[in-house]
């Protein structure tokens, strides 16, 4: 199988490598010539055999809109576009409609795994027509971890469902990180606790709160005890906001996720050890930039 991949940033670059290791031929295009296989989208489309499968892995919003618009004008009937970025689910219907005018297929896929996906594989949440998802299964199988497909891949539903599931996933992630971070701050505030990193390390096996996020928390403390080099300013990518907006629209109470989002807003005003930990965790799993301590 031979696919095109547009966008070779933090995620796309590693995804290209994992796909190739999984037996998928990949022609990648990026505006940075240092990482791109070809010099333009036109060259990429010429290199990928028809019917083409083009995976888009660029920042959500205007950049994704521009790429989808260009593909709508240049692809052929029967080609398939998969948006694997963090687009809002409401944009998927617009992109599918734009492409369908020329008989081009569309699917969306929420991708989780961050900078660790190359080695560990990615969790995948796909939305679209069953025929299109079946066609792309070799790609999904190369990207996901080894083992049962159902443990790391799901066809959630129609167009937009994959990004909706990823949005909720990220909202849950907000709440989990905030809980760990607040526990960190509470332990750090008590003078009778003399081994803070060791406490979290002891939770990694056998306790109900063990998780990969906890493992990354221990790693962050090993690398920077006290998190002295990290500022407590925590950015939000937008998906937490969208999750809260959807909760309001559907009258679903999400107090933990909402509070975690508001805590990120508060981090931009106050000095907080808890928010230093949230920033450190985002860097650990996603390679998100942190602000240096001032």
């Amino acid at each position: 199988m031979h696919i095109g991949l547009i966008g070779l940033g933090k995620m796309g670059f590693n995804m290209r490598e994992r796909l190739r290791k999984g037996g998928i031929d990949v022609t990648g295009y990026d505006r940075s010539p240092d990482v791109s296989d070809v010099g333009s989208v036109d060259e990429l489309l010429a290199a990928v055999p028809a019917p083409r499968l083009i995976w888009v892995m660029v920042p959500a919003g205007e950049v994704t809109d521009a790429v989808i618009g260009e593909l709508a004008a240049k692809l052929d009937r029967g080609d398939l576009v998969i948006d694997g970025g963090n687009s809002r689910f409401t944009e998927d219907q617009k992109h599918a409609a734009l492409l369908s005018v020329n008989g081009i297929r569309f699917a969306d896929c929420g991708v989780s795994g961050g900078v660790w996906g190359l080695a560990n594989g990615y969790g995948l949440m796909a939305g679209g027509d069953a025929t299109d998802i079946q066609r792309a299964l070799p790609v999904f199988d190369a990207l996901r971890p080894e083992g049962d497909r159902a443990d790391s891949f799901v066809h959630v539903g129609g167009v937009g469902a994959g990004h909706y599931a990823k949005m909720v996933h990220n909202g849950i992630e907000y709440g989990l990180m905030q809980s760990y971070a607040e526990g960190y701050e509470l332990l750090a505030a008590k003078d009778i606790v003399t081994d803070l990193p060791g406490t979290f390390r002891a939770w990694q096996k056998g306790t109900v709160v063990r998780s990969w996020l906890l493992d990354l928390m221990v790693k962050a403390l090993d690398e920077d005890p006290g998190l002295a080099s990290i500022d407590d300013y925590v950015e939000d990518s937008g998906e937490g906001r969208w999750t809260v907006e959807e909760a309001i629209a559907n009258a679903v109470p999400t107090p933990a996720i909402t509070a975690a989002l508001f805590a990120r807003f508060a981090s931009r005003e106050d000095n907080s050890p808890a928010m230093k930990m949230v920033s450190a965790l985002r860097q650990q799993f996603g390679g998100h930039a942190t602000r240096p301590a001032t």
Side-chain angles (χ1 to χ4, degrees):
M1 192 169 191
H2 187 165
I3 74 165
L5 176 61
I6 299 177
L8 301 170
K10 285 184 296 187
M11 290 282 282
F13 184 86
N14 284 346
M15 289 171 67
R16 176 179 61 178
E17 184 66 20
R18 185 169 179 89
L19 285 166
R20 287 172 173 170
K21 288 181 177 179
I24 306 294
D25 290 331
V26 183
T27 299
Y29 169 71
D30 193 271
R31 289 181 297 179
S32 171
D34 294 337
V35 298
S36 190
D37 298 319
V38 292
S40 67
V41 170
D42 289 336
E43 289 182 28
L44 178 140
L45 298 183
V48 178
R52 305 178 186 91
L53 193 162
I54 307 298
W55 188 294
V56 177
M57 205 69 194
V58 299
E62 293 181 359
V63 179
T64 296
D65 289 343
V67 171
I68 297 294
E70 183 176 5
L71 292 175
K74 294 180 175 179
L75 289 176
D76 298 319
R77 178 175 295 275
D79 290 344
L80 171 62
V81 174
I82 299 178
D83 179 6
N86 280 336
S87 294
R88 188 165 186 168
F89 74 97
T90 50
E91 297 301 299
D92 293 323
Q93 296 290 344
K94 299 176 186 178
H95 294 153
L98 176 64
L99 292 164
S100 68
V101 171
N102 294 325
I104 303 163
R105 308 295 300 172
F106 177 82
D108 59 284
C109 185
V111 180
S112 181
V115 295
W116 297 85
L118 173 58
N120 299 340
Y122 301 88
L124 305 169
M125 297 142 270
D129 184 86
T131 301
D132 296 326
I133 302 304
Q134 183 67 33
R135 173 178 167 184
L137 270 183
V139 176
F140 296 135
D141 282 342
L143 287 171
R144 66 177 180 82
E146 296 180 2
D148 292 340
R149 182 183 291 150
D151 291 340
S152 55
F153 170 82
V154 59
H155 178 197
V156 188
V159 168
H163 280 148
Y164 195 92
K166 178 57 163 46
M167 176 193 73
V168 175
H169 166 281
N170 281 23
I172 293 170
E173 179 186 288
Y174 275 47
L176 290 172
M177 286 197 292
Q178 188 64 29
S179 293
Y180 281 129
E182 290 174 7
Y184 164 79
E185 182 167 357
L186 184 58
L187 284 166
K190 196 65 176 176
D191 56 7
I192 61 173
V193 177
T194 58
D195 188 354
L196 181 55
T199 301
F200 289 106
R201 190 180 302 279
W203 293 354
Q204 288 182 280
K205 297 180 180 179
T207 78
V208 73
V209 299
R210 64 189 184 273
S211 72
W212 184 44
L213 274 176
L214 180 63
D215 296 342
L216 293 176
M217 194 172 183
V218 171
K219 184 174 182 292
L221 289 172
D222 284 344
E223 292 173 356
D224 184 6
L227 307 179
S229 66
I230 298 175
D231 188 69
D232 65 342
Y233 185 104
V234 181
E235 193 55 82
D236 67 286
S237 61
E239 297 205 48
R241 300 185 190 210
W242 302 340
T243 304
V244 172
E245 290 172 7
E246 277 298 299
I248 293 169
N250 291 279
V252 175
T254 56
I257 294 172
T258 303
L261 175 63
F262 288 172
R264 294 197 180 189
F265 297 162
S267 79
R268 299 162 199 178
E269 301 174 356
D270 302 317
N271 183 35
S272 166
M275 300 317 296
K276 282 177 177 276
M277 179 54 74
V278 172
S279 184
L281 282 170
R282 293 181 80 243
Q283 182 186 50
Q284 286 290 330
F285 70 75
H288 301 289
T290 61
R291 292 194 178 192
T294 57

